[in-house]
Amino acid sequence: MSALAIDIGGTFTDIVLYDDTTGRFAAHKELTTPADPARGVVAGIRHLFAQEGTEAAGVTRVVHATTLFTNALIERRGAPTGLITTAGFRDTLEIGHERKYELYDLHLPLPQPLVRRSRRLEAIERLAPDGTVEIPLDAVSVLDAAGKLVGQGIESIAIAFLHAYANPAHEQEAARLVAERYPSVILSLSSDVAPQIREFDRTSTTVANAYVKPLAEKYLNRLSGDLAALGITAPLFMMLSNGGLTHVDEAKRVPVQLLESGPAAGALSAAFFGERSGCRDLLAFDLGGTTAKLALVHGGEPLVVHKFEAGRERRFTAGSGLPLTISTIELIEIGAGGGSIAAHDALGLLKVGPRSASSVPGPACYGRGGMEPTVTDGNLLLGYLDAETFAGGTMKLSMEAARSSVGALASAAGLDVPQTAAGIHAVVNETMAAAARVHVAEQGHDPRDFALLVTGGGGPLHGCELARRLGITQVICPPGAGVASALGLLLAPARVDRVTTISRRLDGMDWSALEDAYAKLEAEARAVIAATIGGGTQPILRRAADLRFVGQGYELITELPSGPYDASKEAMIRGAFLAGYERVFSRRPAVAAIEIINIRVSATGSTAGSSLDPEVPEAAKGDPRTGTRLARFGQVEHEVPVLDRRRLAAGTEIAGPAIVEEAMSTLLIPPGARAVVEAGGNIAIHLTQPATAVARECETA
């Protein structure tokens, strides 16, 4: 019996077939088909089934992650969407937080709302902060607004009323009226999508959900049909941004939860393979064709946060995007990948990314019409890649096209082609290192306390130099690194996160009401878990809350003890918050009163066959050394041995420089490094050359 994992990225769609009995897995990379993502998925599955001689009937579960919905937000390709909100709050999406993300920029581009003003209409109603009705809902105003929106061709409507988190009755009645009059319109309610305080964030999240919801329904229906046409009758699970799985109907209901599904799977995979090397503190680095992702794994678990920004005006500047209150594994995305385009800026300085050649047309060396120089073109010219075996031999790279594209850039700078290729490699590595330094520091950590685990098609190529720039001395490259995110999909448990606002002081808490509120969230979470994996499994429930000192404007999410709650738990809750506050801020203000703003529940349950234990096959017979290749490190060219990873037995030691090739990725071991093949299948690289030496070497290049 087999599991099928599908991860759609910006350049490649990764497909993994995993045998639950033997632990053997096979993988295939198919170029992503942006205009019709399901087409690339079906083509890849067919190729893999034919390659492995697998029957569709043997597949027992399918797990899927996709960038489709994220890209729809970024590229503004969602459905025609409208908003019905409380009278007087039409402009909430543009007023936002009333903060500038760049204080001194007089021409600051602000994130544009997904719904323009003519499609944001008002209904007469008003709730107080405690949910009591101040102005009853006027049905005529609701239907009038809906009629005007439908007349503009709107397919999806978000309904976000003031203080609906405290009382959903007005939103639910408005939805009933609209659905009765216009049954074809798709609806999203803020009390369903983001039932928590802060009007702008809640409305922004609900509108984003409405914007991608028709696309999600269409795509998931299409994919389900295509899988059935292939003969696959196994259940389809969707990966969530929080590192868990859900069933298709829940994904259709709140697709905004899926925005960071692929990167989340990569973090789970890194945690799993890090354990095999005895490392529980990791920086999980995934470099694909379009972007690089970095997640911090501490104590064997990726960090989950409850806020996210999409569609940033400045991709790597916090506050420049659309705020979304969804649970997601904390990570940063860096505009660097194999397809990142190199160019000179207005000052004549070499820059790499964030523009990408993506899969269409792709890097110049793909021979698919791309003309601009990219990171992959530079790596090919530096001798790091084999033009004949790229992506498992499914693609042939053109050295001539790479040389032509990089040559044009070199001529403009008065350099030769090798110097320019080395410059591209060095610049993209420093871009990633700079972003990583900031991210790790913001989490209160020093990167030197972590190992770097590299995945993705490009992670093993760039990981060692990135590590040296960060002062990290150990790099771990797992087997199947090029498709590790897809493997991570098979690790994910079913997961549900639920939140609601209560806004109560701890010293005046109605403890029975608090317990009832938590119990309600837990019942909702159990129902979704049961719908995903069946009712026979008891999920693991965790409680948390957003707490703050009275008078503060923002909260600290704090893990809480299990229930039931009564007055005897007050000291434990207070102690948990104070300990967390001092850990983050190193001190506490002279305020005694604490208040709970939001309460949170997380439920997880294992899906059938969700334990992942990839086999560590015996090394294939034959000399692992398949030849040598000239490869350039800084200013120096080396005759570098090329090794076949399949033939490397456990315990094999490798002295750098060396190139280790497998079907979906290439590992670059630099001069001065030494590596060992571990019994668990990982290759652990130990770096001895100081980071400053690498920096000097690259500056010379």
Side-chain angles (χ1 to χ4, degrees), residues 115-137:
V115 178
R116 62 175 180 261
R117 196 170 194 272
S118 63
R119 294 177 173 180
R120 304 195 301 263
L121 303 182
E122 299 175 346
I124 299 171
E125 69 86 41
R126 187 68 176 250
L127 298 174
D130 63 357
T132 57
V133 176
E134 293 187 349
I135 301 174
L137 178 68

Side-chain angles (χ1 to χ4, degrees), residues 451-699:
L452 186 74
L453 192 139
V454 293
T455 58
L461 267 180
H462 294 261
C464 287
E465 188 174 333
L466 174 64
R468 280 178 162 167
R469 289 172 183 271
L470 294 174
I472 294 172
T473 58
Q474 183 177 12
V475 178
I476 300 169
C477 182
V483 292
S485 287
L487 270 173
L489 294 173
L490 303 178
L491 283 164
R495 175 164 176 159
V496 179
D497 287 292
R498 286 289 186 265
V499 59
T500 193
T501 296
I502 63 166
S503 196
R504 297 284 187 274
R505 283 176 62 130
L506 195 60
D507 55 12
M509 181 64 64
D510 181 339
W511 291 98
S512 63
L514 179 64
E515 179 60 29
D516 288 346
Y518 268 112
K520 181 181 177 182
L521 292 184
E522 289 171 347
E524 293 176 3
R526 283 193 187 96
V528 177
I529 293 288
T532 303
I533 60 175
T537 301
Q538 285 299 317
I540 298 170
L541 298 169
R542 292 183 178 178
R543 292 182 174 186
D546 301 2
L547 295 105
R548 67 188 185 190
F549 290 108
V550 171
Q552 291 183 321
Y554 290 91
E555 301 80 47
L556 182 69
I557 298 176
T558 305
E559 293 286 333
L560 299 184
S562 58
Y565 288 167
D566 54 32
S568 66
K569 293 291 180 76
E570 179 177 348
M572 296 176 67
I573 294 174
R574 180 182 294 273
F577 170 65
L578 294 178
Y581 197 95
E582 290 185 351
R583 184 174 61 252
V584 173
F585 299 107
S586 300
R587 65 187 67 189
R588 69 171 93 157
V591 179
I594 297 170
E595 58 185 341
I596 297 179
I597 303 302
N598 301 317
I599 61 171
R600 299 180 182 274
V601 165
S602 171
T604 56
S606 297
T607 58
S610 63
S611 59
L612 183 69
D613 188 18
E615 68 166 351
V616 183
E618 291 186 11
K621 294 181 179 179
D623 187 351
R625 181 166 172 154
T626 60
T628 61
R629 196 155 67 229
L630 278 176
R632 187 184 182 100
F633 295 86
Q635 288 290 334
V636 183
E637 270 196 337
H638 296 261
E639 187 77 22
V640 178
V642 179
L643 308 175
D644 183 346
R645 183 161 186 168
R646 296 171 303 173
R647 299 177 183 174
L648 293 173
T652 300
E653 295 188 3
I654 307 165
I659 294 172
V660 180
E661 294 182 336
E662 62 178 335
M664 302 299 165
S665 65
T666 299
L667 172 62
L668 187 65
I669 302 173
R674 60 184 180 84
V676 61
V677 181
E678 297 180 332
N682 293 337
I683 296 180
I685 304 103
H686 302 277
L687 306 176
T688 55
Q689 185 177 349
T692 51
V694 175
R696 288 195 299 270
E697 182 180 341
C698 293
E699 285 169 5

Side-chain angles (χ1 to χ4, degrees), residues 84-90 121-126 135 160-162:
I84 300 177
T85 189
T86 302
F89 289 82
R90 182 183 188 183
L121 303 182
E122 299 175 346
I124 299 171
E125 69 86 41
R126 187 68 176 250
I135 301 174
F161 290 156
L162 191 67

Side-chain angles (χ1 to χ4, degrees), residues 410-470:
S411 297
L415 299 172
D416 62 27
V417 170
Q419 286 176 318
T420 305
I424 293 172
H425 188 78
V427 168
V428 76
N429 284 328
E430 182 53 36
T431 298
M432 295 186 291
R437 288 188 199 102
V438 172
H439 179 68
V440 176
E442 287 176 343
Q443 304 305 315
H445 295 287
D446 185 331
R448 294 171 295 183
D449 296 334
F450 295 81
L452 186 74
L453 192 139
V454 293
T455 58
L461 267 180
H462 294 261
C464 287
E465 188 174 333
L466 174 64
R468 280 178 162 167
R469 289 172 183 271
L470 294 174

